[in-house]
Amino acid sequence: MKRSCLLAILFASTVALPSAHAATEADYKAAYAAAEAASKEAAGMRNQWTVTVSALAAARKAADGGDFDRAIAAAKEAEALAKASIFQATTEKEAWKAMEIR
Amino acid sequence: MKARLSLLLGSLGAALVAFALAAPRVVAADKVDPAADAKAFQNFFFQKFPNVKHEDFVNGPYSMNEDMKRQWQEKEEFPPYEFALDAGKEMFATPFKNGKTYADCFPNGGIGIRQNYPYFDTKEGKVVTLELALNRCREANGEAPYSYVKDEMASLTAYMAFTSRGKPMDIKIPDDPRALAAFENGKRYFYTRRGQMNFSCASCHVQSPGERIRAEILAPALGILNAMPIYRSEWSGMGTTSRRFVTCNSQTRAVPLEPQSDEYRDVEYFLSYVANGLPISGPGARP
């Protein structure tokens, strides 16, 4: 009984702790900087996605309103999208040839 | 032992023969050969749509079946691009503040020359499109350039296209490595997937012409620029070639490039060259 109680407390604290920790402006700035760097790399490859730009804008808007949880989520989404566009641009350097009419 | 050796030698010989046969193809595939590309490009569409007359491909989605063709013929009785054509004719003839006109900037006074654009400028080392040449003409005569995606540019190019109607597209690629590189760059752009939708130009206009994407029937890539500029019902107005490229990019959720960027100029060069021989039909109208 004691053991299962302890386990339940441990599980509850594991689940609850991250959400209990409110995101700070510093966390947001770090997430946004990473997203912006990836986005700039994609733009440099001439392969920026519109959804990356929208996600970055959403992150800024949420941060301006003081909602850093939402701002970080949007920044992380932007980073993931930017990285996907970089991957696309990199693979397409050769992959486009498969589509060519010969 | 002898049998194994002869088997080994036989395999080696077969591999050498296979390599010898394959190697020239690999080299040929990497060599820039615009004439071969154009021939393959046209044959692909001619074979995919054996019932479409070759000169009809320039009518885009309206060439794809008889119902669509009838729609096109009815539309041509009261063409929606007519107002742009009239405006373009007037703009073309109106002198700049310095007294000169567009006619002073172009061969043959700008009449009946649409089929020669874009061309490769060997001095500049880049592709020059008709839209770019028109704005350069304006700037050389002290006028502000027009937006590449708005009505004024569409009206001017509509008039110039109209004076070339029926003339076969006639794009030249000079014997200049930079021209070949521009052609190749345009080809690469055309086939490269981009945007979150992971679409290339070819995804719609090579793999799926005649198919529906939402309510629209996709146009074949062959001759797609011969009808430019176009009146689009979707836009409720005219659109230039630049606008077409920008919109296509946005639709795939890719951030469009700046109008008349090198990539757009090069893809226009590629698409126009592979449509050589097909008639100019601009200005056009599309759903």
Side-chain angles (χ1 to χ4, degrees):
Chain A
M1 179 66 184
K2 263 187 178 176
R3 199 174 161 196
S4 58
C5 268
L6 194 66
L7 278 174
I9 290 166
L10 266 175
F11 177 73
S13 60
T14 318
V15 172
L17 266 180
S19 58
H21 167 71
T24 64
E25 188 172 4
D27 296 334
Y28 158 69
K29 281 185 175 169
Y32 189 86
E36 196 177 33
S39 165
K40 279 184 180 166
E41 189 180 341
M45 297 171 92
R46 312 281 276 168
N47 195 40
Q48 181 75 285
W49 290 359
T50 53
V51 281
T52 309
V53 177
S54 304
L56 281 171
R60 285 194 302 271
K61 195 177 172 188
D64 288 346
D67 187 347
F68 294 115
D69 283 330
R70 186 174 288 182
I72 288 171
K76 285 188 172 167
E77 187 189 349
E79 186 185 3
L81 289 165
K83 284 185 172 171
S85 66
I86 292 165
F87 177 79
Q88 182 189 52
T90 307
T91 51
E92 281 298 307
K93 279 181 185 168
E94 286 299 319
W96 70 269
K97 291 174 187 168
M99 240 193 195
E100 186 186 352
I101 297 172
R102 291 175 191 271
Chain B
M1 180 70 185
K2 233 181 180 184
R4 281 180 71 186
L5 187 67
S6 57
L7 190 66
L8 188 71
L9 283 173
S11 302
L12 192 66
L16 275 173
V17 169
F19 178 75
L21 287 173
R25 290 185 66 192
V26 171
V27 172
D30 288 334
K31 189 174 165 254
V32 182
D33 186 349
D37 284 349
K39 193 176 175 190
F41 200 87
Q42 296 196 1
N43 280 343
F44 173 85
F45 287 97
F46 295 160
Q47 283 166 19
K48 190 176 175 85
F49 300 101
N51 297 326
V52 175
K53 284 183 192 163
H54 295 180
E55 64 272 22
D56 275 353
F57 279 98
V58 298
N59 293 322
Y62 295 113
S63 66
M64 295 284 91
N65 64 52
E66 280 306 310
D67 283 347
M68 291 294 285
K69 193 172 180 180
R70 270 196 297 277
Q71 279 185 40
W72 166 246
Q73 284 161 343
E74 283 175 19
K75 225 172 193 180
E76 277 292 274
E77 287 177 24
F78 299 101
Y81 51 74
E82 204 160 26
F83 70 94
L85 198 53
D86 293 341
K89 188 175 182 180
E90 193 180 329
M91 288 163 70
F92 195 84
T94 304
F96 301 127
K97 285 188 225 74
N98 67 4
K100 290 190 175 180
T101 66
Y102 291 106
D104 295 311
C105 298
F106 291 94
N108 199 40
I111 303 301
I113 58 161
R114 159 69 184 93
Q115 69 281 1
N116 304 126
Y117 285 81
Y119 69 93
F120 189 82
D121 185 340
T122 47
K123 278 186 195 157
E124 187 188 346
K126 286 191 174 190
V127 171
V128 177
T129 67
L130 185 59
E131 292 169 16
L132 186 66
L134 279 162
N135 261 349
R136 284 183 175 175
C137 176
R138 291 184 59 77
E139 287 178 296
N141 286 289
E143 304 286 335
Y146 284 139
S147 161
Y148 285 110
V149 294
K150 292 195 174 162
D151 288 349
E152 293 93 344
M153 184 58 79
S155 296
L156 276 171
T157 51
Y159 172 64
M160 292 182 80
F162 190 74
T163 67
S164 278
R165 264 200 176 180
K167 292 193 174 187
M169 188 71 94
D170 188 17
I171 305 301
K172 304 273 194 294
I173 297 184
D175 186 17
D176 183 324
R178 296 169 304 171
L180 289 171
F183 175 85
E184 187 70 4
N185 191 40
K187 181 168 80 177
R188 184 187 309 117
Y189 191 84
F190 179 77
Y191 289 111
T192 296
R193 291 177 183 274
R194 59 182 58 82
Q196 192 190 25
M197 309 298 281
N198 202 32
F199 271 28
S200 72
C201 310
S203 302
C204 286
H205 301 291
V206 171
Q207 292 184 335
S208 315
E211 304 290 331
R212 282 189 185 277
I213 190 162
R214 294 186 176 164
E216 287 179 36
I217 289 185
L218 291 162
L222 180 61
I224 201 166
L225 297 183
N226 295 43
M228 298 306 290
I230 49 170
Y231 180 92
R232 285 206 76 178
S233 307
E234 182 194 339
W235 296 338
S236 299
M238 294 293 293
T240 56
T241 302
S242 292
R243 186 174 180 184
R244 181 66 275 186
F245 291 154
V246 164
T247 311
C248 275
N249 280 172
S250 302
Q251 285 170 332
T252 66
R253 298 187 188 163
V255 173
L257 305 176
E258 56 281 11
Q260 299 299 319
S261 60
D262 286 349
E263 291 93 332
Y264 284 163
R265 286 155 73 174
D266 291 348
V267 78
E268 187 174 339
Y269 193 44
F270 166 73
L271 279 171
S272 302
Y273 180 83
V274 296
N276 266 352
L278 297 184
I280 297 295
S281 63
R286 295 289 181 266

